[in-house]
Amino acid sequence: MTEFPKKLSAKLTERQANNALRKLPIPNGLIDFSSNDYLGFARNEAIFKNASNILQKKGVLANGATGSRLLTGNNGLYSELEDFLTDFFGSESSLVFNSGYDANIGFFSAVPQRTDVVFYDELSHASIRDGIGLGRAQSYKFKHNSVEDLNRQIDRLREGKTDSDIYVVTESVFSMDGDSPDLEALVATCKAKGANLVIDEAHAVGVFGKKGEGLLNELQLQDKVFARIVTFGKAMGCHGAAILGSDALKSYLVNFARSFIYTTGMPPHSLATILSACEHIAATKGGQNQLRTNIDFFKNELKAHNLQSYFIPSNSAVHCCLVEGNEKLKKWSQQLQENGFDVKPIMSPTVPKGKERLRFCLHSFNTEKEISKVLLQLSNLF
Ligand SMILES: Cc1ncc(COP(=O)(O)O)c(C=O)c1O
């Protein structure tokens, strides 16, 4: 092997010195307070078996897609899945991508044009920021969940520029904070200012909505946005994503979203698994009620242990306890792990310095005893 470049070695050394070197973890079999598998679908036997049934019934005996969807990879399961998603999420159209990361970079690199402007929440997921970075539009961040700041910035822009299309993007549940913006206020602002609102629902799908359709559906706002990004790797327990929007948006993305065009399609069994997971939640709600009960119980236990003030307020399945500094954070998460609980440290630079945190992901399968115990352990660390 050739020598590893010195500049790159220096960057790794710097990460190490900052206690921020990322390493691939080994599965530890501890009590799960860290995965995004909020409903336990990733190991749900009924979903697994039904996915196989779907493939068998259709006589699909294929391991791979064989090409891009625009060439040979667009097998029949895609249209069945997209029809299901369109109906389930209440949209005009849907387009499946290989992942949420691909969906966001595909959308934001292709849709906003050179003369357009994108406003994004300062805590937006890396996939949104990377997509914006690949695109040609000007972009500005607004303060986290601040509709006031967004309003101010749009007004300032409109004073000088009148011909730009404006895109506003945020998440309905923030992946590293668990909190949510005021979606009603955002919809009203975007309507008043003529801006196109795009909402990433990665961590809301399966958790909010009557059958897990997301927070926009829960608030009956699904028709008031330009596009939604839904992903299947979190509560749906599998992999992949879809962009929901108009037929015109779908056609545009098929023609211009490079992360859609220049990649091999999904293998049929991935599509069957997404379909199976979606059918399961549509038919049974998939443990959503139990997840909600657990979220409420967790919040009550925070109060009981006087821990509330250390946590970012959240109604979602993600609850974060701020613990400043990578070193202390690592130590605390290690102590929780030694006591049997898998709670992950979210270190800087994944989150800003000073905002390091323990991220508790709640699940329908966590028991009240587990929740009480992990919070008792946490309170002993303060
Ligand atoms: C808000 C948000 N959007 C998009 C993604 C990317 O989704 P995927 O894991 O399907 O690539 C994530 C995943 O971490 C996310 O948290």
Side-chain angles (χ1 to χ4, degrees), residues 269-289:
H269 50 83
S270 289
L271 299 171
T273 307
I274 300 171
L275 191 55
S276 176
C278 290
E279 283 177 355
H280 185 76
I281 202 165
T284 67
K285 293 190 77 179
Q288 231 192 322
N289 291 345

Side-chain angles (χ1 to χ4, degrees), residues 91-295:
S91 139
E92 188 175 300
S93 228
S94 69
L95 183 67
V96 169
F97 280 71
N98 287 0
S99 71
Y101 189 89
D102 281 356
N104 275 330
I105 59 167
F107 183 96
F108 288 102
S109 61
V111 173
Q113 302 295 294
R114 190 188 292 277
T115 52
D116 295 341
V117 178
V118 184
F119 291 101
Y120 62 100
D121 188 286
E122 63 183 345
L123 299 188
S124 292
H125 190 260
S127 55
I128 296 172
R129 287 184 283 120
D130 289 356
I132 294 169
L134 286 171
R136 293 169 180 196
Q138 270 184 303
S139 62
Y140 302 98
K141 58 186 172 195
F142 58 92
K143 287 198 185 110
H144 181 50
N145 284 343
S146 174
V147 182
E148 294 73 33
D149 187 38
L150 173 67
N151 256 309
R152 244 189 326 268
Q153 292 206 45
I154 297 180
D155 286 346
R156 204 181 311 140
L157 178 92
R158 283 290 191 220
E159 280 167 21
K161 273 184 156 197
T162 47
D163 58 343
S164 312
D165 284 336
I166 294 177
Y167 294 86
V168 172
V169 56
T170 189
E171 298 168 28
S172 53
V173 172
F174 276 82
S175 56
M176 291 297 149
D177 295 66
D179 58 352
S180 299
D182 181 343
L183 288 170
E184 267 154 11
L186 269 174
V187 162
T189 285
C190 289
K191 187 169 181 218
K193 312 281 182 199
N196 300 305
L197 182 57
V198 183
I199 302 288
D200 181 330
E201 294 239 65
H203 292 271
V205 170
V207 178
F208 291 101
K210 269 204 188 102
K211 289 180 182 163
E213 309 94 320
L215 192 51
L216 285 166
N217 278 66
E218 181 157 318
L219 301 170
Q220 290 294 300
L221 295 172
Q222 69 275 16
D223 299 330
K224 309 257 163 74
V225 298
F226 179 72
R228 281 178 276 167
I229 288 92
V230 293
T231 71
F232 309 118
K234 321 283 183 208
M236 303 313 283
C238 33
H239 190 72
I243 297 182
L244 312 172
S246 64
D247 291 333
L249 176 64
K250 176 168 179 171
S251 174
Y252 183 83
L253 292 168
V254 167
N255 279 278
F256 293 102
R258 296 169 71 83
S259 64
F260 176 87
I261 300 165
Y262 298 107
T263 190
T264 301
M266 279 194 165
H269 50 83
S270 289
L271 299 171
T273 307
I274 300 171
L275 191 55
S276 176
C278 290
E279 283 177 355
H280 185 76
I281 202 165
T284 67
K285 293 190 77 179
Q288 231 192 322
N289 291 345
Q290 186 57 50
L291 175 61
R292 183 53 47 200
T293 303
N294 286 353
I295 294 169

Side-chain angles (χ1 to χ4, degrees), residues 299-363:
K299 290 176 71 164
N300 282 335
E301 286 294 281
L302 286 187
K303 270 191 226 156
H305 290 288
N306 274 326
L307 287 168
Q308 243 178 337
S309 61
Y310 302 104
F311 275 76
I312 299 169
S314 160
N315 276 325
S316 72
V318 179
H319 291 256
C320 289
C321 175
L322 294 169
V323 180
E324 204 178 324
N326 283 346
E327 202 172 330
K328 182 171 163 190
L329 178 68
K330 264 180 157 174
K331 211 159 94 193
W332 282 26
S333 96
Q334 213 171 330
Q335 275 171 307
L336 291 176
Q337 298 201 357
E338 277 161 17
N339 283 306
F341 300 103
D342 193 13
V343 181
K344 293 277 190 276
I346 310 294
M347 302 190 285
S348 56
T350 300
V351 288
K353 224 174 159 58
K355 297 274 182 189
E356 296 84 0
R357 65 204 56 184
L358 287 168
R359 181 174 183 253
F360 291 79
C361 292
L362 304 179
H363 308 94

